[in-house]
Amino acid sequence: MLVLHGAGVGKGIAIGKAFVLSGGTVTVPEYSIPESGQKQEVERFRNALDEARGQLEDIAANIPKDAPTESASFIEAYLLMLKDPLIADQPIDTIRTRKVNAEWALQIHSAGLIKAFDAMEDEYLRSKRTDVEHIVNRIQSNLLNIRHETLGHITSHMEGKVVIAHDLSPADAVLLKNHSVAAFAIDLGGPISHTAILARSLNIPAVVGLHGATRYIAHKETVVVDGKRGVLMAGTDKLTLEAFEERRRYVEAKQLELQALVHKPAVTKDGVAVTLQANIELPEDIGSAAKVNPQGVGLYRTEYLFMNRPQPPRETEQYTAYCRVAKRMKNPVTIRTLDLGADKQVDGGRREGPTNPALGLRAVRLCLKEPALFTPQLRAIFRASAQGPVKMMIPMVSNLDELSQVMDLIEEVKSELRREGKQFNENLPIGGMIEVPAAAVCADLFASRLDFLSIGTNDLIQYTLAIDRVDDEVNYLYDPLHPSILRLVKTTIDAGKHAKIPVTMCGEMAGDPRFTKLLLGFGLRIFSMDPAALLEVKKKILDTNVGIAEKFAAKALDCKGSQELRDLVTALDQT
Ligand code: PEP
Ligand code: MG
């Protein structure tokens, strides 16, 4: 029996056939072709191009109905690239003139093309470099007879299967939403990477950071995924399988029991009312979120609307998407402005090179640098505010100048909308995410300028503890109970209280029932989380006495060692 350990990100147990996604880059060979073989080599190159065209047309014909509307044009852009002389013709000249094999000829030209994209000023155009890589990789795979699969065209074959991949970008993972995949197991990634967050929102067992999963697991082999323990197993005997099957039924029954809490108000034993909200990624998520009856949306990650497509969505498309969510909710919908960059690239590509993208041009920084990307979104959010209870939230603010620039842009947008006679809520609440340590330390300064604060523990932990959230090598350092995190969370909650503005938590910590009582003890009253976690957190709230939690929370801030702190939190959890 093979047992691989990683970080469990989606709870539950799944037993099913593995669907192993091949991936990674292709090693390109270089060899010379004698004059007599050139005709055949050119033919081989043309066949690989034809094959790529056929594969892409097949993808276009099988785009899932609920994939973002412009996914088809994304494929069309790939098809156009296949006709580009730099890709389709120049390698043929090189095969003839330099007498090299087709793979090497293509490699020479694609390297030049990638370099040209890398040198582009415009961030959005620069990000298109991965499109070139994708198309070149596909042709190379065809030349080398490597099975090449991308999620776009195979999601329909994954129903009921355990998807095993080396890595999945958030752009890939979002395509799996609403497909009945049984479980996820990924070689790379940390528990708060956006891919892990998406996997969790699928409400299926998922494990990341498994290292050798794609190497050791065979396609169609029966595997077991234990999302709670972060384990992937293969080659299990009949008895073990039966034992896991029994546990799977038990976990499912426990989940069903939670359904009884759907319409129960989230009030603690000593009468403190708590607001539970949902985190969503796509407008259609509002349907599944509604099943657990959240009191609004505390985080709508709008960046997913910008992924898997060649162009950013226009204002009208964004307006329609935001209205779709706003009109469904009686309670506030917090639309977060674009948080692209770092691991969330429009095309799912990864950046190479010495820069650290998580510390780079991301979220509000990218938006301020590219008003052409930001302004249509601001307009769309303001216009949607006339249709429902919308709030706006700015991600990754780190200093007040940045906030002033955003506010200036907002004023411009408002004047423009007034001139055009467009309706919007003049008093639309504007909040900021507290997810950079600098902002948490100075939470009082931000609180004095904003209508609400929302603690993004995922990034706050990444930046405070200096652990890249997508790097599985440092998963072991991920610790929401680190004294620095608890202090920053407390500072932010207190700053909100002092300024008399609401403080929400929308990072993964808010959806982890192990921390619910502690956070209530710190004074947190609004939690926003993946809807799949909401009922379990509600159960904890119903079981909390805030008076007792406050005493434990005060002690927690004085704890010196991690073990002492963990013991205290466990003791509080059991009160
Ligand atoms: C966070 O950082 O905690 C957060 C909620 O935002 P995201 O996970 O999208 O970065
Ligand atoms: Mg964040």
Side-chain angles (χ1 to χ4, degrees):
M1 183 165 83
L2 170 77
V3 183
L4 295 173
H5 293 267
V9 294
K11 288 192 201 132
I13 290 175
I15 302 168
K17 295 260 184 271
F19 193 108
V20 182
L21 284 164
S22 55
T25 40
V26 178
T27 312
V28 178
E30 179 193 2
Y31 51 93
S32 51
I33 299 287
E35 211 141 313
S36 58
Q38 278 181 10
K39 196 164 164 239
Q40 205 183 344
E41 195 61 9
V42 169
E43 203 55 35
R44 199 166 74 82
F45 180 70
R46 288 200 172 121
N47 286 343
L49 283 179
D50 286 347
E51 207 181 327
R53 192 167 307 114
Q55 289 160 343
L56 289 168
E57 282 166 356
D58 188 31
I59 295 172
N62 287 292
I63 286 178
K65 284 190 193 62
D66 47 5
T69 37
E70 288 204 13
S71 297
S73 32
F74 195 60
I75 308 296
E76 270 164 34
Y78 281 171
L79 283 164
L80 277 178
M81 273 164 69
L82 270 182
K83 289 189 192 152
D84 194 292
L86 269 170
I87 287 179
D89 303 332
Q90 293 198 5
I92 294 180
D93 293 343
T94 304
I95 292 172
R96 291 181 179 134
T97 52
R98 290 175 65 170
K99 300 182 179 53
V100 290
N101 58 315
E103 292 89 342
W104 195 247
L106 177 61
Q107 172 77 3
I108 292 170
H109 291 284
S110 60
L113 205 53
I114 286 166
K115 221 168 159 186
F117 270 92
D118 269 347
M120 286 188 188
E121 270 278 303
D122 184 289
E123 161 84 4
Y124 195 78
L125 284 177
R126 204 165 54 241
S127 74
K128 295 283 133 196
R129 146 210 226 270
T130 43
D131 290 350
V132 180
E133 283 173 333
H134 176 99
I135 212 74
V136 169
N137 238 3
R138 182 173 288 280
I139 304 167
Q140 295 286 24
S141 303
N142 292 339
L143 282 166
L144 295 161
N145 279 328
I146 295 172
R147 189 168 57 113
H148 194 111
E149 287 164 338
T150 57
L151 283 175
H153 73 303
I154 50 171
T155 41
S156 55
H157 303 297
M158 290 180 180
E159 311 249 318
K161 309 265 171 45
V162 174
V163 175
I164 298 188
H166 182 61
D167 190 16
L168 283 183
S169 67
D172 285 335
V174 79
L175 286 177
L176 287 181
K177 278 209 164 220
N178 305 327
H179 286 274
S180 313
V181 169
F184 249 117
I186 311 173
D187 286 342
L188 302 182
I192 50 165
S193 64
H194 288 96
T195 299
I197 291 171
L198 279 165
R200 207 171 288 133
S201 78
L202 295 173
N203 206 5
I204 54 172
V207 185
V208 299
L210 280 161
H211 297 269
T214 45
R215 200 156 1 117
Y216 300 122
I217 306 290
H219 194 54
K220 296 192 178 164
E221 181 177 13
T222 297
V223 291
V224 178
V225 178
D226 183 337
K228 190 167 181 197
R229 290 177 177 78
V231 171
L232 171 70
M233 277 165 277
T236 34
D237 57 40
K238 198 160 164 275
L239 267 180
T240 317
L241 273 185
E242 275 169 12
F244 271 103
E245 184 57 43
E246 200 171 308
R247 260 201 59 217
R248 192 186 64 75
R249 281 198 294 267
Y250 172 80
V251 173
E252 245 176 45
K254 281 269 158 220
Q255 275 302 112
L256 274 179
E257 271 174 35
L258 287 175
Q259 291 303 315
L261 304 182
V262 169
H263 295 291
K264 241 185 150 75
V267 179
T268 64
K269 282 201 235 170
D270 46 350
V272 177
V274 180
T275 303
L276 296 182
Q277 299 182 322
N279 290 355
I280 63 167
E281 276 84 36
L282 296 171
E284 45 270 38
D285 291 347
I286 201 75
S288 51
K291 290 187 189 145
V292 293
N293 194 23
Q295 294 158 278
V297 171
L299 169 63
Y300 172 8
R301 291 182 164 101
T302 55
E303 48 277 9
Y304 288 94
L305 200 62
F306 290 66
M307 293 181 183
N308 295 313
R309 54 192 300 156
Q311 296 295 333
R314 288 176 192 276
E315 178 186 326
T316 327
E317 188 188 333
Q318 293 188 55
Y319 171 68
T320 310
Y322 305 154
C323 285
R324 202 172 143 196
V325 180
K327 283 181 180 167
R328 277 287 301 266
M329 299 302 289
K330 280 195 271 353
N331 292 300
V333 172
T334 315
I335 305 179
R336 181 175 71 181
T337 57
L338 257 182
D339 185 1
L340 279 175
D343 62 331
K344 288 185 288 192
Q345 298 294 334
V346 281
D347 48 13
R350 285 174 173 274
R351 297 287 158 270
E352 282 162 13
T355 56
N356 186 337
L359 302 179
L361 205 54
R362 192 195 144 183
V364 70
R365 303 170 179 184
L366 175 68
C367 286
L368 286 172
K369 177 143 189 275
E370 312 235 354
L373 196 62
F374 198 23
T375 310
Q377 180 172 47
L378 292 177
R379 286 177 55 94
I381 295 174
F382 267 95
R383 287 177 56 205
S385 71
Q387 305 297 325
V390 165
K391 291 178 170 190
M392 180 159 72
M393 181 157 80
I394 317 296
M396 223 192 151
V397 281
S398 60
N399 67 56
L400 293 178
D401 290 343
E402 218 166 31
L403 197 58
S404 300
Q405 283 180 55
V406 175
M407 294 304 186
D408 288 350
L409 209 56
I410 284 173
E411 283 313 313
E412 273 174 38
V413 162
K414 283 166 89 172
S415 313
E416 212 173 75
L417 290 174
R418 270 185 223 114
R419 270 200 306 279
E420 293 168 18
K422 298 247 170 25
Q423 288 196 334
F424 64 92
N425 175 7
E426 285 278 356
N427 300 312
L428 175 130
I430 298 168
M433 287 198 67
I434 301 297
E435 51 184 348
V436 175
V441 170
C442 303
D444 56 330
L445 303 181
F446 286 90
S448 67
R449 302 271 300 269
L450 289 160
D451 298 315
F452 65 96
L453 303 179
S454 188
I455 309 174
T457 50
N458 308 337
D459 279 313
L460 190 61
I461 293 172
Q462 153 166 268
Y463 295 128
T464 308
L465 305 187
I467 47 167
D468 188 337
R469 60 195 276 192
V470 294
D471 185 349
D472 49 291
E473 301 285 359
V474 287
N475 278 354
Y476 72 101
L477 289 170
Y478 171 71
D479 182 12
L481 291 183
H482 191 287
S484 60
I485 304 301
L486 298 189
R487 288 178 196 192
L488 291 177
V489 165
K490 180 75 172 117
T491 304
T492 308
I493 294 172
D494 287 350
K497 219 180 261 171
H498 190 74
K500 297 192 173 50
I501 60 164
V503 176
T504 308
M505 181 181 283
C506 63
E508 293 300 287
M509 191 177 182
D512 191 329
R514 288 174 304 171
F515 309 130
T516 308
K517 290 187 177 184
L518 179 71
L519 294 171
L520 286 170
F522 280 158
L524 188 73
R525 296 292 178 264
I526 312 173
F527 294 62
S528 188
M529 67 199 79
D530 170 9
L534 194 140
L535 296 180
E536 229 179 307
V537 169
K538 191 188 272 188
K539 193 172 167 207
K540 278 283 172 213
I541 290 168
L542 298 176
D543 185 44
T544 303
N545 181 314
V546 171
I548 296 176
E550 279 170 354
K551 290 198 181 86
F552 274 83
K555 275 194 210 152
L557 288 172
D558 283 338
C559 278
K560 300 202 174 46
S562 307
Q563 194 52 47
E564 190 191 348
L565 196 49
R566 266 192 283 277
D567 291 345
L568 188 89
V569 172
T570 310
L572 166 61
D573 196 39
Q574 284 160 2
T575 55

